[in-house]
Amino acid sequence: MADEAVRRRCATPAFGTVLTEHMVTMTWSAERGWHDGAVRPYAPEPVDPATAGLHYGQVVFEGLKAFHQADGTVAAFRPALHAKRFRTSARRLVMPELPEALFVDAIRALVDADRRWVPTEPDRSLYLRPLLYAADVSLALRPASTYRFVVLASVTENFFGSSGAPVSVWVSTRYSRAAPGGTGSAKCAGNYAGAFAGQREAVEHGCDQVLWLDAAERRWIEEMGGMNIFWVTRGRNGAVLVTPALTDTLLPGVTRDSLLTVAHELGIATRESRVAFDDFTAAVSRGEVTEAFACGTAAVVTPIGRIRAGHGEWHVGDGGIGPVAGRLRDALIDLQRGRVPDPRGWLVHCG
Ligand SMILES: *Cc1c(COP(=O)(O)O)cnc(C)c1O
């Protein structure tokens, strides 16, 4: 139950600004491995200006949510899969891999400590941000031998608000997000700094978000700045939910995986394949693409209404969330909030 001070700070929780009272911290060193894990009052981290992570970007993170449940408890959504991706990201950046059980324990301990910050409103949740950074105080250009793990929590509203209004996307042919053999499938800090220029280009062209094509041919649809993309085509035997197949230049979203699973259960046909942007827009022009949407932990399911590139502009849908996207979003939210059975054990209770 939120007290008055908590209620006041949470009045308008712009994404990532309302941080809670506690944090988890843990250290890794070559000699001692993972040690000194603790839940502590939220406080600035003393960061030496020569901290390696600041200079060379040896930094990975995660983003997941905990939800107030229909039965009054609190649960995190799929923390084990986030833990697994955190390990994969760390491995790619030659960082120590945090065992899944320690990751999940850290999430549970933090949510339990900040229980009174977990919002009960249907469009709000507690966003959790695990972070691992190279902590050596050294300018030597090599993987560090000490690392710091922290987990922060933030009260959040659905990223694009709860209006369900569609966003517009700009297709950049000037910048790339990820190259073959690069770090695109890892959730590492530098990917996001590198994408800011594309995002700014999108805004300059009157769009909300950037849609990335592959870096090698600038031909294949990949994903958004921090979200995966889906669309719905009118097939001969009904609607088909399509999303680009995973490669080493796509971030494997937990929401993406959850929606594919949920779609399967709802009897919606799915296809993961490589799709050329020109083929996609030709299908949009023929009226074969009935819906498009972005998905991610922060954004949940957000419709895409307009697609703009240097050589044209295309409209999808009728200004709201489409029927397939709406069904998927509702099914996902019902699962996350414990309103329907959870046969796969995706929810992990946090005290
Ligand atoms: C985090 C992220 C996503 C979405 O992943 P979720 O696990 O669904 O939150 C998609 N693309 C990029 C580039 C991301 O960083």
Side-chain angles (χ1 to χ4, degrees):
M1 198 43 61
D3 63 24
E4 195 44 44
V6 170
R7 222 188 317 270
R8 223 175 311 117
R9 278 196 59 206
C10 295
T12 50
F15 183 80
T17 60
V18 182
L19 293 147
T20 60
E21 285 165 275
H22 295 91
M23 62 195 277
V24 166
T25 59
M26 189 163 18
T27 301
W28 185 94
S29 66
E31 312 82 57
R32 298 180 60 195
W34 297 102
H35 60 277
D36 289 350
V39 177
R40 305 188 313 173
Y42 185 93
E45 284 265 284
V47 173
D48 189 290
T51 298
L54 285 180
H55 294 263
Y56 304 125
Q58 205 187 11
V59 180
V60 297
F61 67 95
E62 266 302 321
L64 66 160
K65 280 177 172 174
F67 298 90
H68 178 82
Q69 300 290 294
D71 66 2
T73 61
V74 177
F77 188 66
R78 306 195 73 180
L81 190 55
H82 286 279
K84 188 165 167 235
R85 189 170 68 189
F86 196 57
R87 288 184 66 157
T88 309
S89 297
R91 196 180 316 139
R92 176 63 184 81
L93 272 83
V94 195
M95 300 170 83
E97 295 176 38
L98 180 69
E100 273 98 343
L102 281 181
F103 180 101
V104 174
D105 282 352
I107 297 297
R108 294 176 71 166
L110 182 59
V111 173
D112 190 34
D114 281 333
R115 180 73 205 266
R116 68 195 186 115
W117 289 81
V118 180
T120 53
E121 293 92 335
D123 282 325
R124 291 188 178 184
S125 54
L126 195 68
Y127 181 82
L128 297 152
R129 167 52 60 83
L131 174 77
L132 180 65
Y133 65 88
D136 283 9
V137 176
S138 164
L139 302 182
L141 186 57
R142 61 168 183 241
S145 55
T146 51
Y147 292 86
R148 186 84 163 152
F149 173 65
V150 303
V151 190
L152 311 178
S154 165
V155 176
T156 182
E157 214 152 41
N158 290 344
F159 196 55
F160 294 107
S162 48
S163 65
V167 296
S168 52
V169 296
W170 165 256
V171 181
S172 183
T173 47
R174 180 161 176 209
Y175 301 108
S176 303
R177 192 192 83 87
T183 56
S185 62
K187 228 170 162 70
C188 64
N191 288 350
Y192 303 86
F196 287 159
Q199 175 62 26
R200 189 174 57 191
E201 192 191 11
V203 171
E204 282 165 4
H205 286 89
C207 294
D208 300 304
Q209 288 281 318
V210 55
L211 172 62
W212 297 107
L213 303 182
D214 76 291
E217 296 181 70
R218 303 221 191 258
R219 179 172 175 206
W220 310 101
I221 299 177
E222 295 206 318
E223 60 170 322
M224 319 264 290
M227 292 168 278
N228 295 111
I229 185 169
F230 280 88
W231 59 90
V232 179
T233 62
R234 215 194 307 261
R236 212 167 298 137
N237 305 312
V240 182
L241 182 68
V242 186
T243 192
L246 294 178
T247 65
D248 77 339
T249 55
L250 261 82
L251 199 287
V254 173
T255 316
R256 176 188 182 279
D257 180 84
S258 304
L259 291 178
L260 286 170
T261 306
V262 166
H264 194 72
E265 263 162 33
L266 294 175
I268 299 166
T270 62
R271 188 167 70 235
E272 296 174 72
S273 62
R274 196 160 80 144
V275 177
F277 181 67
D278 286 345
D279 294 338
F280 169 75
T281 53
V284 171
S285 299
R286 290 194 302 268
E288 288 165 19
V289 174
T290 53
E291 305 174 38
F293 61 91
C295 75
T297 295
V300 194
V301 169
T302 298
I304 297 169
R306 187 164 60 92
I307 298 136
R308 191 168 173 202
H311 60 291
E313 182 167 289
W314 299 266
H315 291 262
V316 183
D318 59 3
I321 191 161
V324 174
R327 274 177 80 197
L328 290 169
R329 182 178 67 177
D330 292 349
L332 178 64
I333 291 174
D334 283 348
L335 261 168
Q336 290 173 329
R337 297 190 181 264
R339 297 177 192 144
V340 293
D342 172 31
R344 290 163 297 265
W346 282 356
L347 291 171
V348 171
H349 285 269
C350 302

